[in-house]
């Protein structure tokens, strides 16, 4: 069954479609942040934030402010944490302790981020799947905790090896779904890679799944 959420913000109308097994709240939060960051531009063309509404085929109509307040209330239930993983824990509504069970980040930004993949029975059936899952998480950690949007491909390879994920044949992970998730630029030693917006959403989904698996183990 599919859920459809419709945003109406003045003349702007956006629809988000998701199946029951898909978490569409990430897309909603991304849109909220976009509206908040560009509120002055909208006001200049006569669009007032008070007219924003969200319509769902399951839940009826609520305002964006109500939705955002609900998200903030849920986040407020978590104890504030100033560690490097604190912002991710708050955004994903997870505990920092849960994330620390399988992730490592250096608050000083000197060491590579690391995933303790040995804490899980399997993060992918094939080597390409393991590389893709691990790279999504590692690049997301660099983005959120190290403030680095782009990382050298060679550095990502080193981080994969540190996480006990082979980097052999790594180019294959950029094919298929990987083409949507990763933005590669350059060649050879100067080649870099970053997450696309769909890649960041997928990274959040993977982190939630792994965190829940770890919590239940």
């Amino acid at each position: 069954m599919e859920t459809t959420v419709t945003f109406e913000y003045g003349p702007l109308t956006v629809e988000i479609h998701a199946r029951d097994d898909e978490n569409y709240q990430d897309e909603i939060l991304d849109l909220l942040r976009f509206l908040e960051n560009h509120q002055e531009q909208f006001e200049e063309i006569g669009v007032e934030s008070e007219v924003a509404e969200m319509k769902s085929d399951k839940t009826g109509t609520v305002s964006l402010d109500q939705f955002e307040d609900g998200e903030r209330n849920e986040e407020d239930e978590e104890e504030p944490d100033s560690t490097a993983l604190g912002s991710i824990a708050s955004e994903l509504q997870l505990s920092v302790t849960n994330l620390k069970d399988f992730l490592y980040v250096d608050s000083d930004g000197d060491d590579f981020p690391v995933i303790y993949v040995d804490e899980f029975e399997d993060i992918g059936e094939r080597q390409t799947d393991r590389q893709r899952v691990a790279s999504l998480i590692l690049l997301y950690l660099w983005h959120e905790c190290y403030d680095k949007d782009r990382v050298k491909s060679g550095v990502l390879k080193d981080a994969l090896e540190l996480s006990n994920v082979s980097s052999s044949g790594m180019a294959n992970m950029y094919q298929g779904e990987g083409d949507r998730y990763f933005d590669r630029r350059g060649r050879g030693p100067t080649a870099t890679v970053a997450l696309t917006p769909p890649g960041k959403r997928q990274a959040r989904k993977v982190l939630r799944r792994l965190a829940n698996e770890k919590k239940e183990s």
Side-chain angles (χ1 to χ4, degrees), residues 9-208:
Y9 192 83
L12 175 65
T13 300
V14 178
E15 286 190 353
I16 296 174
H17 301 274
R19 295 190 299 272
D20 284 349
D21 60 344
E22 292 181 328
N23 188 338
Y24 56 84
Q25 291 189 350
D26 287 340
E27 282 78 3
I28 294 175
L29 291 174
D30 286 344
L31 182 56
L32 285 171
R33 295 188 185 101
F34 173 82
L35 294 175
E36 182 179 4
N37 292 337
H38 296 81
Q39 184 174 352
E40 292 183 2
Q41 290 92 322
F42 280 110
E43 290 176 350
E44 288 176 1
I45 60 175
V47 179
E48 299 294 336
S49 60
E50 286 76 13
V51 302
E53 288 185 341
M54 179 180 71
K55 297 180 180 179
S56 170
D57 60 1
K58 286 187 176 181
T59 61
T61 301
V62 297
S63 70
L64 292 180
D65 288 339
Q66 288 173 320
F67 178 84
E68 190 173 26
D69 287 343
E71 291 294 320
R72 287 172 178 168
N73 290 338
E74 291 182 7
E75 292 175 2
D76 288 342
E77 294 177 2
E78 289 285 346
E79 289 294 326
D81 194 289
S82 59
T83 63
L85 286 171
S87 61
I88 294 179
S90 177
E91 182 176 20
L92 302 184
Q93 299 176 28
L94 299 169
S95 71
V96 173
T97 301
N98 190 190
L99 293 178
K100 285 182 177 179
D101 284 341
F102 64 97
L103 297 177
Y104 166 79
V105 295
D106 180 11
S107 58
D108 295 325
D110 296 328
D111 296 332
F112 294 160
V114 175
I115 310 166
Y116 305 136
V117 297
D118 293 339
E119 293 293 321
F120 303 93
E121 292 184 4
D122 192 7
I123 65 168
E125 296 180 0
R126 303 174 303 164
Q127 178 170 291
T128 299
D129 298 328
R130 290 167 57 84
Q131 291 172 344
R132 185 176 294 143
V133 167
S135 295
L136 283 168
I137 295 175
L138 290 170
L139 289 172
Y140 191 72
L141 292 177
W142 260 306
H143 173 72
E144 292 290 327
C145 303
Y146 293 69
D147 198 25
K148 290 186 178 180
D149 288 331
R150 305 197 67 82
V151 176
K152 287 187 175 181
S153 297
V155 173
L156 176 58
K157 286 184 178 182
D158 291 340
L160 285 173
E161 295 290 346
L162 281 174
S163 299
N164 202 24
V165 176
S166 173
S167 62
S168 177
M170 183 175 159
N172 293 324
M173 80 169 188
Y174 297 120
Q175 308 303 317
E177 289 185 348
D179 187 53
R180 296 179 56 246
Y181 299 151
F182 302 104
D183 175 20
R184 291 186 296 163
R185 298 180 187 175
R187 292 183 179 182
T190 62
T192 62
V193 60
L195 291 178
T196 63
K200 292 174 184 176
R201 291 194 293 270
Q202 183 65 17
R204 288 191 286 265
K205 291 178 182 179
V206 171
L207 278 171
R208 285 196 186 95

